[in-house]
Amino acid sequence: MSVAFALPLSGGRSLLLGLGGVLSVAFGVVMFAHPGAGAVALLALIAAFALVTGAIQIAFAIELRGAVVEIGHRVRPRPTAKPVTHG
């Protein structure tokens, strides 16, 4: 939290860094005061993160599959019109 004021950042970035520090301290206090409620909230955050990142990874995999097929079409040698004969 004190880094937000020590680093030479612009006003908006410094404010966001300080706000993140304050929210982290507040979450720590809530976790200490009510561990059951804090554990459920933390579990919900982890589950939401896992769902979002899983969906993003599936979308990237589908996009990558299409890119691999497109690259494969561009890299394959094209057949020549006349066969090459020797001698």
Side-chain angles (χ1 to χ4, degrees):
M1 189 166 63
S2 64
V3 174
F5 303 108
L7 290 177
L9 298 174
S10 65
R13 290 182 182 175
S14 177
L15 179 66
L16 286 176
L17 191 59
L19 182 62
V22 169
L23 288 175
S24 295
V25 170
F27 183 72
V29 169
V30 170
M31 285 289 288
F32 186 75
H34 304 288
V40 170
L42 189 59
L43 181 65
L45 285 173
I46 292 171
F49 176 77
L51 286 172
V52 169
T53 55
I56 289 172
Q57 287 177 355
I58 290 171
F60 281 153
I62 292 169
E63 183 69 25
L64 184 61
R65 180 184 288 179
V68 167
V69 169
E70 183 179 335
I71 290 171
H73 288 302
R74 290 184 181 187
V75 173
R76 286 190 193 133
R78 295 187 177 133
T80 58
K82 297 180 184 180
V84 178
T85 59
H86 297 285

